[in-house]
Amino acid sequence: MSRPRVLSGVQPTGALHLGNWLGAIRNWVELQESHETFFCVVDLHAITTPHNPGKLASETLSTAALYMACGIDPSKSTIFVQSHIPAHSELCWILNCVTPLNWLERMIQFKEKAIKQGDNVSVGLLDYPVLMAADILLYDADFVPVGEDQKQHLELARNIAQQRINSRFKEVEKDLLKIPKPMIIKNGSRVMSLSDGLKKMSKSDDNDNSRINLLDPPELICKKIKRAKTDSYIGLEFGNPLRPEAENLLGMYAILSGKSNAVAQQECLEMGWGKFKPLLNDAATSALKPIQEKYKELMENRDHLNLVLKNGRIKAEQTAQKNLTRIRNALGFLPEK
Ligand code: ADP
Ligand code: TRP
């Protein structure tokens, strides 16, 4: 029997941070053992806000290396670059033509990012979730492991597939598109900023001290944790709505040290911030050390990285092309002869 299929991706914009790892990539690593897994570096998404052409290629390669450094194994998973497979853009166009504009205008991430862009909002930024739907639907993915913030985009992909494609074209082919399900990890699905426990940790925050990047050296991690926002209570605890920073940093500590929430809370229940922060620092530094070492090693062998991405492209393209042809035929395009 074939294994259920998983697809996910991260944008190669800036450095990946603890949120990306704990909320998404960490989950991918386990799924490799039980699922057929496709992981792409979504570089076409990275140009939906102004980007630096001098950095796009190197950030794409470095994101792929980080996937592998975090434990994505090219002998188990297909790792590829979104823009290397034109079928993503082509299916995006087809889906654009059936997606109501007001579905996109409702997207929270669009509204948040659009505010930051001022007058300069591109059509691409609005269309971002349709391209994401194309990424997923092109591979008949059963599951999409992402952080909490992507849930609304997943819901949109499901609605496009169900209401705008499957029900409209059911006479031609039943269940033309597979309806994907989100897969959201219980702990870590929403890692918050170090400078504000109510704001998501994000690559796009202008303040680098608000996040721990996976490649930050130990001194920098230490500095960022020292500066992290605290409160005036003594003792770390979960579940107190007045203490978002305690919730976030204690949660981070639990995952990074491999302890359950209950054990971590028990350990830190009477601990002041001054004693807790060095603990968190040790946990973060030791968890990131093997990733940083593996990353360095991978980046020293670009030929190998490029080969992994080439093999990934060849494999992903077979599935993508087959499905795109099926969709084109169902929609009535003149077949190529
Ligand atoms: P960012 O929001 O920092 O730009 P991306 O949008 O590229 O990051 O997100 C890549 C993946 O990481 C997605 O699955 C997303 O849900 C997850 N993710 C991003 N930020 C966080 C966070 N703070 N906590 C948990 N998961 C996150
Ligand atoms: N929009 C996702 C994010 O910002 C990235 C993404 C693009 C993605 N295409 C995808 C995630 C397909 C999962 C599946 O995190």
Side-chain angles (χ1 to χ4, degrees):
M1 239 195 42
S2 64
R3 305 202 276 183
R5 191 174 286 165
V6 154
L7 179 134
S8 197
V10 172
Q11 298 182 62
T13 26
L16 300 197
H17 52 75
L18 269 187
N20 299 134
W21 182 40
L22 302 182
I25 301 175
R26 185 171 59 112
N27 201 4
W28 304 356
V29 177
E30 278 179 28
L31 289 166
Q32 296 181 110
E33 309 305 329
S34 46
H35 291 66
E36 187 190 1
T37 41
F38 287 84
F39 298 117
C40 60
V41 180
V42 292
D43 55 346
L44 294 170
H45 279 102
I47 65 163
T48 54
T49 50
H51 80 286
N52 179 344
K55 280 186 158 175
L56 183 60
S58 63
E59 293 194 330
T60 300
L61 204 63
S62 124
T63 303
L66 267 175
Y67 285 4
M68 288 158 69
C70 289
I72 305 300
D73 176 348
S75 71
K76 296 178 181 164
S77 294
T78 306
I79 306 172
F80 65 101
V81 176
Q82 182 191 35
S83 70
H84 290 176
I85 302 193
H88 290 245
S89 308
E90 194 173 342
L91 181 60
C92 176
W93 177 255
I94 291 176
L95 300 180
N96 276 338
C97 297
V98 297
T99 304
L101 182 59
N102 65 7
W103 286 11
L104 299 181
E105 287 166 337
R106 284 205 289 266
M107 294 292 114
I108 295 165
Q109 195 180 78
F110 170 70
K111 288 196 246 179
E112 285 174 358
K113 289 197 180 176
I115 291 172
K116 283 200 186 158
Q117 300 293 309
D119 285 340
N120 219 355
V121 179
S122 69
V123 175
L125 188 65
L126 180 71
D127 203 30
Y128 176 117
V130 182
L131 178 59
M132 177 165 163
D135 298 339
I136 299 165
L137 300 172
L138 197 52
Y139 293 88
D140 283 337
D142 295 282
F143 297 103
V144 184
V146 281
E148 180 72 35
D149 61 321
Q150 295 300 313
K151 214 170 159 187
Q152 195 187 29
H153 289 162
L154 246 301
E155 200 49 43
L156 181 94
R158 288 166 58 86
N159 290 341
I160 295 175
Q162 186 63 60
Q163 299 170 27
R164 297 287 156 159
I165 298 283
N166 286 5
S167 64
R168 279 197 191 174
F169 302 100
K170 61 176 183 290
E171 313 303 334
V172 194
E173 186 178 329
K174 194 166 163 280
D175 299 331
L176 185 56
L177 299 178
K178 167 84 74 62
I179 310 298
K181 293 193 190 68
M183 199 180 234
I184 295 173
I185 208 165
K186 219 166 106 237
N187 292 328
S189 68
R190 205 168 158 76
V191 175
M192 309 310 275
S193 153
L194 295 184
S195 41
D196 179 352
L198 295 171
K199 226 168 91 187
K200 188 183 87 107
M201 183 178 284
S202 169
K203 288 187 213 121
S204 54
D205 194 320
D206 294 333
N207 176 10
D208 190 57
N209 286 324
S210 70
R211 61 184 160 257
I212 295 177
N213 300 310
L214 299 186
L215 297 176
D216 281 348
E219 319 78 74
L220 188 54
I221 296 177
C222 183
K223 194 182 105 201
K224 288 178 174 177
I225 291 180
K226 267 195 188 143
R227 288 199 182 171
K229 189 172 171 205
T230 57
D231 56 28
S232 52
Y233 295 75
I234 296 195
L236 278 286
E237 60 181 332
F238 286 116
N240 183 341
L242 299 174
R243 306 193 62 197
E245 283 78 23
E247 179 89 23
N248 186 40
L249 297 184
L250 184 58
M252 232 181 240
Y253 171 65
I255 307 177
L256 292 171
S257 59
K259 294 176 180 162
S260 69
N261 279 359
V263 168
Q265 177 167 266
Q266 191 54 39
E267 183 185 354
C268 307
L269 206 53
E270 285 168 11
M271 206 179 264
W273 285 103
K275 202 158 165 217
F276 171 74
K277 282 190 167 181
L279 265 190
L280 175 61
N281 184 42
D282 284 351
T285 313
S286 338
L288 293 181
K289 191 165 175 246
I291 295 180
Q292 298 183 348
E293 285 171 357
K294 184 84 206 287
Y295 172 82
K296 196 165 157 265
E297 205 183 288
L298 285 160
M299 289 302 277
E300 278 163 9
N301 191 347
R302 304 287 166 111
D303 290 346
H304 173 66
L305 270 180
N306 283 322
L307 185 65
V308 166
L309 293 177
K310 181 179 169 198
N311 290 336
R313 171 180 64 73
I314 293 169
K315 174 110 192 293
E317 201 159 40
Q318 284 171 358
T319 307
Q321 209 46 51
K322 197 170 102 225
N323 271 331
L324 183 63
T325 304
R326 208 167 49 79
I327 297 165
R328 288 171 55 120
N329 289 344
L331 266 62
F333 286 95
L334 178 67
E336 287 172 23
K337 292 285 182 221

